[in-house]
Amino acid sequence: MSKKRKYDESYVKYGFCCMKESDDVEKPQCFLCGKVLANASMKPAKLIEHLKSLHPENASKDLEFFTKKKAQFSKSGTLTKLGFGIPQKPLVEASFRVAYRIDKSKKPHTIGETLIKPCALEMVELVCGLEQRKKFEVIPLSNDVIQSGIVEISCNILKQIINKLKASPFPFSMQLDETTDISNCSQLLVFVRYVSADTISKKNSYFVSLFCKLQRQMMF
């Protein structure tokens, strides 16, 4: 189990406040742009990197400036506090789409920030101009963001499958096997076949947790 980092009030000087999720996991949220980072980014080096790369004009500001910005952010609407302000929606969706493709191609999570984003920025600047490039620069594609996006996508897919299994008018079949991932670690492979919308669907997962959760949740 990975260690969960805790928020420190001193992080205000880096432009970050704290956002708690339903499971009480704390995540750093930039009150300058509303972006929410992964819990693993809850350390000064990561927060400073975000501040200098995305808000360089504010990197040299004093504590009083950031305190006022935090107060303004606290008075803003609920959606902004949750990281879903209207200007952020396309950026968040773009980040999730890249995370999905990275996971699907089995590439390292770091490729989003080291290859995909630099290439995208160069193409946009050459084809559309410098102003359009600035809009792409704020798309979150760091290693932590991609990892967090993949986890959220996986959880959402799992919930969809469980809901479809519960809604199926017929019993479902399950087949178990063993496979090996790219790091040569053994994983439980689960195949589920069920009836959905008058058709037979077949899903598979490389995660042991799928079988465990299915077993628990289908009991209720």
Side-chain angles (χ1 to χ4, degrees):
M1 184 101 178
S2 59
K3 179 182 177 182
K4 298 301 180 184
R5 298 181 179 275
K6 297 293 184 180
Y7 177 78
D8 190 281
E9 286 298 330
S10 64
Y11 295 161
V12 172
K13 63 185 179 183
Y14 307 130
F16 282 86
C17 57
C18 179
M19 188 189 79
K20 273 193 176 183
E21 295 194 331
S22 57
D23 54 359
D24 288 333
V25 174
E26 297 181 352
K27 290 187 175 182
Q29 181 173 25
C30 177
F31 50 73
L32 298 176
C33 64
K35 186 182 301 181
V36 179
L37 305 184
N39 177 264
S41 296
M42 192 85 80
K43 46 188 176 181
K46 291 285 187 180
L47 305 183
I48 292 174
E49 180 184 354
H50 173 91
L51 176 63
K52 290 184 176 180
S53 60
L54 297 184
H55 312 288
E57 70 280 3
N58 298 322
S60 60
K61 300 289 186 179
D62 56 17
L63 180 60
E64 183 180 358
F65 169 81
F66 289 106
T67 302
K68 289 181 179 179
K69 284 293 184 180
K70 182 182 178 182
Q72 293 173 2
F73 182 78
S74 298
K75 294 179 182 179
S76 61
T78 304
L79 288 177
T80 305
K81 293 179 183 178
L82 294 176
F84 291 105
I86 294 177
Q88 296 296 318
K89 282 184 178 180
L91 306 181
V92 174
E93 182 178 350
S95 180
F96 270 99
R97 287 179 179 269
V98 173
Y100 175 75
R101 288 188 174 275
I102 289 176
D103 186 55
K104 192 174 181 180
S105 62
K106 297 182 175 63
K107 298 296 183 181
H109 299 167
T110 54
I111 197 175
E113 196 170 39
T114 60
L115 180 62
I116 296 177
K117 189 171 184 177
C119 290
L121 292 177
E122 289 186 10
M123 288 188 291
V124 171
E125 182 177 352
L126 289 171
V127 178
C128 304
L130 186 59
E131 286 300 316
Q132 296 301 320
R133 174 195 169 99
K134 292 179 180 179
K135 295 181 180 180
F136 279 74
E137 287 178 347
V138 294
I139 297 177
L141 292 179
S142 67
N143 176 55
D144 292 334
V145 171
I146 295 299
Q147 181 180 3
S148 177
I150 291 173
V151 170
E152 290 189 38
I153 292 173
S154 300
C155 291
N156 182 267
I157 293 175
L158 176 61
K159 289 180 181 178
Q160 291 184 47
I161 295 176
I162 291 175
N163 290 335
K164 287 181 179 181
L165 291 177
K166 288 181 176 180
S168 177
F170 303 100
F172 62 88
S173 64
M174 183 179 293
Q175 181 181 358
L176 309 181
D177 200 350
E178 185 180 11
T179 186
T180 304
D181 60 21
I182 58 175
S183 60
N184 292 324
C185 293
S186 297
Q187 300 284 352
L188 177 64
L189 178 62
V190 182
F191 287 94
V192 180
R193 190 187 297 270
Y194 59 95
V195 175
S196 176
D198 298 326
T199 60
I200 297 178
S201 299
K202 185 177 181 180
K203 303 293 183 183
N204 67 76
S205 173
Y206 289 92
F207 300 99
V208 179
S209 59
L210 173 61
F211 174 66
C212 297
K213 289 182 180 179
L214 283 175
Q215 203 173 36
R216 280 201 309 271
Q217 296 189 34
M218 292 305 294
M219 291 175 64
F220 300 99

